[in-house]
Each structure stands twice: as structure tokens, then as C-alpha cells.
Amino acid sequence: MNKTKLLMNGRLLPQLEAALSAEFDLCALWQQASPDDFLTQHGHAFSALVSSAKTGVSKALIQALPALKVISIFGVGYDAVDVATAHQHGIQIGYTPEVLNDCVADTAMGLLIDVARQFSASDRHVRAGRWLKSPFPLTTRVSGKRLGIFGLGRIGQTIARRASGFDMEIRYHNRRQNLDLPYTYEPTLASLAEWCDFLMVASSGGAETKHLISSDILRKLGPKGFLINIARGSVINEQALIEALEQGVIAGAGLDVYADEPNVPERLLRLDNAVLLPHLASATQETRQAMADLVFQNLAAYFKTGRVKVAVPMTS
Ligand code: 8YV
């Protein structure tokens, strides 16, 4: 029997690509001499597409695949996927929530502690031989401080549980209050920023949250406040953040995500009060394998039952 044709529009983990090509007739779009010509000639032959949060799926790609029925995304964030167009065409979208909560929350706490206690900066101090001349300056305590979480979804709640272990007081701001949770709701992002010592961005990306962390919010966070972002670079006005870090409007920032990855602005690279990670929050062997398994299972479930295992919600 002929294998189902599966289009892939960006690199995936080698073991996932191998598993997919054992099951499907896997076709890498970028390997075609002219991807546009290829889509014009063969686009109608694909009922399935595999992609990632990083690569994304555009409206043009969906429109070039008239027989498309299912998309499987490697990642939890789908801001780079045109979900509305896919759903209008009745296309199901599978993604990989939950399995990365722990590693992303671990990274969030790591960044928070690093930016406050300045482990990365003090590592540079030791390596540069500066300890021989002077002790490292005193830093900021984490335990018992106030943590404001913007976006208390699955990942935000996992961060909150970890922060409780550091005796942190936790409040949050969301589109809606969640009465099932034991944390205090702040009605606005501004009041959350004003209240907290550490502002943790754990919201989704996309148009709804674009640049919500503005110069005004940063002023409210204040000169002793720290910003941590493990969500999407788009949530923060990066220029405003750079100015705030340069001018001491806030104390520091721990960032895993940026406006234009992998390009990190030169001015940010020069700042010692910023801890900069290369979008690695979910990047452990174990979690990336679990995400890969779910990408595969979403496709397998669709072709067996007509439903992906874990679907991007229809209301999005
Ligand atoms: C992805 C992420 O692994 O899941 C997401 O939304 O941002 C990361 O965990 C990365 O973008 C690869 O697609």
C-alpha cells in the first residue's frame, strides 16, 4: 500500500524525521529546487503537514495545499501558525502542550535566580581573574520575594509551584481570573508590575499580547524589579526593555526569547544586568523526545481515528 504523503517545512529532530519517514512518504519542502514550483505542481497531493513552533505555517502554505487535513506542530506555542485559516478549512492542528511544562518552568526559575543572584555575571568575574582584585558585589535575595506571573496557564502554574518552594508570594494577571487557583489575581498587568519584585512573562505570543510589556509597565516594575521572559519575544517591546536596562529603570532581565531570533540586539549583548539564553527552555533530551513522540502520535491518531491526540483549541 502507498504511504500517506507528509510534507515537512523545516528541520525536526533526526529521530523524529526517521520515525516519520518509516511511517509516511516524508517530503522536505526546503530540499526542492524551487519550493514554490513544487507546491504548484504537487501541493494537492499532501493531506498532512508537519512543522514546528519555530518554522510556523503561513496562510500561503495552507492555501497551496488544497487537500490538507491535518497539521502536526512540534511545540506548544502556535503564534507562528495561521490557526484561523487552518480551522476555516476544517484542518485539525496537533501540538505538544504539557510535556514541556517542567523544563520550561525549570528554566524560568533558573533565569530568575541567575538574574537576581548574578551567577552568570559572577562566573564572568571569576574567569576574567577579577576575583583576585575584588570580591563580587552583593546581589538580590530571591526567597520570600514577590513573584508576579503574567499568564497563569499550564506553564505559569508549574512556575508558581516551583516558586512556592522558594517561599515566594505569588500573584498573577490573565485575561480571566481563575478561581480554582490559590493565587491572588491582579486586575491589570500594570498593577501586577507595580506590586511584584519579579515579573515573569508566561503568556502566549501573537497579536493579542504584542508589546504588552511596554516602557510604562517597566517603569511600574521599577529600579529594584526584574523581568523574566520564557514566553515569546513579541510580548515585550524590546527597544523599551533595552532602554530600561541601560538606564536602570529596572534592575535586570532574564530572557530566553527575543523579537527576532536568533538575532539578539548588540545593545542587549553589552548589558551585564541581562541574562541571555538561546531559546532553550524546552531543550532537554527528555522533553524534546516527549514532544517528538507527541508530534508522531498526533499524526498517527488522526490517520487512525480522524482526530489528533492533542488539538489546538478551536476558539483560538
Ligand atoms: C519549541 C517553543 O521547542 O514549544 C514552543 O512553543 O517555543 C519551544 O519549546 C521551539 O520553538 C521549537 O519549535
Side-chain angles (χ1 to χ4, degrees):
M1 211 178 76
N2 280 347
K3 288 178 178 173
T4 303
K5 287 177 91 63
L6 171 63
L7 187 66
M8 171 172 62
N9 71 337
R11 276 250 94 100
L12 298 167
L13 286 186
Q15 63 268 37
L16 175 57
E17 292 186 7
L20 290 171
S21 49
E23 189 71 21
F24 298 93
D25 179 0
L26 185 64
C27 173
L29 184 57
W30 70 93
Q31 280 172 0
Q32 308 309 314
S34 162
D36 285 345
D37 290 349
F38 176 84
L39 287 173
T40 308
Q41 282 170 34
H42 305 286
H44 61 273
F46 293 94
S47 57
L49 170 69
V50 62
S51 186
S52 67
K54 183 171 158 207
T55 306
V57 181
S58 67
K59 184 178 200 142
L61 181 56
I62 294 170
Q63 287 171 338
L65 303 169
L68 190 63
K69 294 277 178 291
V70 60
I71 301 172
S72 186
I73 298 291
F74 182 94
V76 67
Y78 44 82
D79 48 305
V81 178
D82 191 333
V83 172
T85 300
H87 283 166
Q88 273 157 24
H89 287 77
I91 298 163
Q92 285 190 45
I93 312 171
Y95 72 141
T96 67
E98 304 288 1
V99 294
L100 41 60
N101 293 350
D102 286 333
C103 279
V104 176
D106 292 351
T107 304
M109 289 309 292
L111 268 174
L112 187 156
I113 295 169
D114 193 338
V115 73
R117 300 295 309 273
Q118 297 187 36
F119 291 148
S120 291
S122 61
D123 177 279
R124 293 192 287 273
H125 185 83
V126 173
R127 287 173 198 275
R130 293 198 294 266
W131 192 17
L132 299 168
K133 295 174 199 123
S134 60
F136 194 74
L138 301 184
T139 62
T140 303
R141 179 183 168 103
V142 167
S143 292
K145 290 288 181 69
R146 295 172 164 188
L147 175 64
I149 304 179
F150 175 50
L152 198 64
R154 292 173 284 241
I155 291 171
Q157 289 172 45
T158 312
I159 295 168
R161 287 196 294 277
R162 279 158 178 65
S164 304
F166 286 84
D167 301 323
M168 296 184 91
E169 194 185 336
I170 296 156
R171 292 190 186 179
Y172 72 101
H173 176 69
N174 260 357
R175 260 170 308 183
R176 281 175 292 277
Q177 182 170 9
N178 185 341
L179 295 168
D180 297 333
L181 297 173
Y183 312 110
T184 303
Y185 180 71
E186 282 289 336
T188 64
L189 177 55
S191 64
L192 185 72
E194 206 149 29
W195 170 81
C196 70
D197 302 304
F198 295 90
L199 182 60
M200 175 71 69
V201 181
S203 66
S204 50
E208 282 187 12
T209 54
K210 189 166 180 195
H211 287 188
L212 285 186
I213 306 288
S214 59
S215 50
D216 186 45
I217 295 294
L218 295 169
R219 265 194 307 277
K220 294 217 154 56
L221 183 57
K224 292 189 168 170
F226 295 87
L227 179 73
I228 298 100
N229 189 6
I230 48 76
R232 284 290 182 265
S234 60
V235 185
I236 295 177
N237 181 334
E238 206 166 70
Q239 283 311 308
L241 173 62
I242 292 169
E243 278 160 33
L245 287 168
E246 284 174 348
Q247 295 165 14
V249 172
I250 65 169
L255 307 174
D256 187 44
V257 287
Y258 307 86
D260 177 29
E261 295 171 11
N263 301 302
V264 178
E266 191 59 43
R267 281 164 69 194
L268 205 44
L269 296 178
R270 284 199 292 267
L271 287 167
D272 225 26
N273 56 351
V275 178
L276 307 175
L277 303 184
H279 197 153
L280 52 62
S282 69
T284 62
Q285 300 283 359
E286 296 87 342
T287 288
R288 287 288 168 88
Q289 186 60 53
M291 293 165 70
D293 291 345
L294 194 43
V295 167
F296 188 91
Q297 289 161 10
N298 274 328
L299 286 169
Y302 177 80
F303 285 107
K304 197 164 169 218
T305 68
R307 295 253 153 255
V308 294
K309 188 174 170 195
V310 188
V312 167
M314 289 304 283
T315 50
S316 298

